[in-house]
Amino acid sequence: LKNKEILTWEGFGTASRELAQAVADSGFEPDIIIAVARGGLLPAGALSYSLGVKLSDAINVEFYTDVHETLPDPVLLAPLLDTDNISGKKLLVVDDVADSGRTLALVIDILKGYDAEVRSAVIYGKARSVVEPDYVWRQTDQWIVFPWSSEPPVTANA
Ligand code: 5GP
């Protein structure tokens, strides 16, 4: 497990609390927290509670198919549910990591198209990312192992 950055469940708790503090200290008060599913689902949930923001939604994007293996481009798997409610709002887009940053770039682009004020928060930022998220907990260039995806999905016992 060399050359890997391992985030534990406990580390995730610390990371989300500290990321929320950075958002609060910046004076940004988001109306809605948008999770980039699936990787951003748990970070976004933790940030919604830590920031006391009750409105949350998710946008589903697929890019990585395996460790270091991606589709040609990030693709939207399903549209946002309530685009009517996004216009003019302050949105905080939350993801696990900005690696190439192309997923975040796509999502920010889509949301800005609805005239929203968009900021982004990630647990990890990588140097090569094409977007600079507004809030980053830690910088790394290693492959990150997150606690929610460190093990393969369960299979039913016969
Ligand atoms: P990006 O578009 O910034 O390259 O990354 C899109 C998604 O790929 C991330 O939100 C994350 O779910 C996944 N990903 C990218 N880099 C890593 C990594 O180092 N570790 C893990 N576990 N997932 C990653």
Side-chain angles (χ1 to χ4, degrees):
L1 288 174
K2 243 188 148 200
N3 299 323
K4 280 188 182 168
E5 167 86 22
I6 313 258
L7 184 68
T8 62
W9 281 114
E10 198 184 347
F12 167 57
T14 305
S16 1
R17 201 74 197 167
E18 290 182 4
L19 206 48
Q21 192 65 59
V23 175
D25 290 347
S26 76
F28 186 59
E29 297 181 348
D31 300 304
I32 313 174
I33 306 274
I34 311 276
V36 183
R38 291 179 297 171
L41 282 172
L42 282 90
L47 278 187
S48 324
Y49 279 104
S50 289
L51 290 169
V53 176
K54 289 187 178 173
L55 284 180
S56 54
D57 207 338
I59 186 165
N60 217 312
V61 177
E62 181 170 20
F63 191 19
Y64 280 73
T65 51
D66 206 342
V67 177
H68 297 307
E69 214 169 274
T70 68
L71 302 170
D73 297 292
V75 290
L76 200 56
L77 291 185
L80 269 180
L81 296 179
D82 263 324
T83 42
D84 286 356
N85 300 333
I86 282 172
S87 160
K89 292 282 163 58
K90 284 181 280 188
L91 308 178
L92 183 64
V93 174
V94 182
D95 209 350
D96 49 359
V97 49
D99 189 321
S100 70
R102 294 186 59 207
T103 299
L104 210 50
L106 171 71
V107 170
I108 289 169
D109 241 45
I110 290 170
L111 295 175
K112 282 196 169 154
Y114 292 97
D115 241 0
E117 180 184 346
V118 184
R119 292 200 193 177
S120 57
V122 295
I123 300 184
Y124 289 102
K126 297 196 185 179
R128 69 188 189 114
S129 176
V130 295
V131 293
E132 176 103 53
D134 298 283
Y135 310 99
V136 179
W137 181 61
R138 291 272 194 281
Q139 202 72 30
T140 186
D141 287 319
Q142 299 183 320
W143 182 259
I144 306 143
V145 178
F146 291 100
W148 48 85
S149 52
S150 62
E151 292 181 77
V154 296
T155 51
N157 293 312

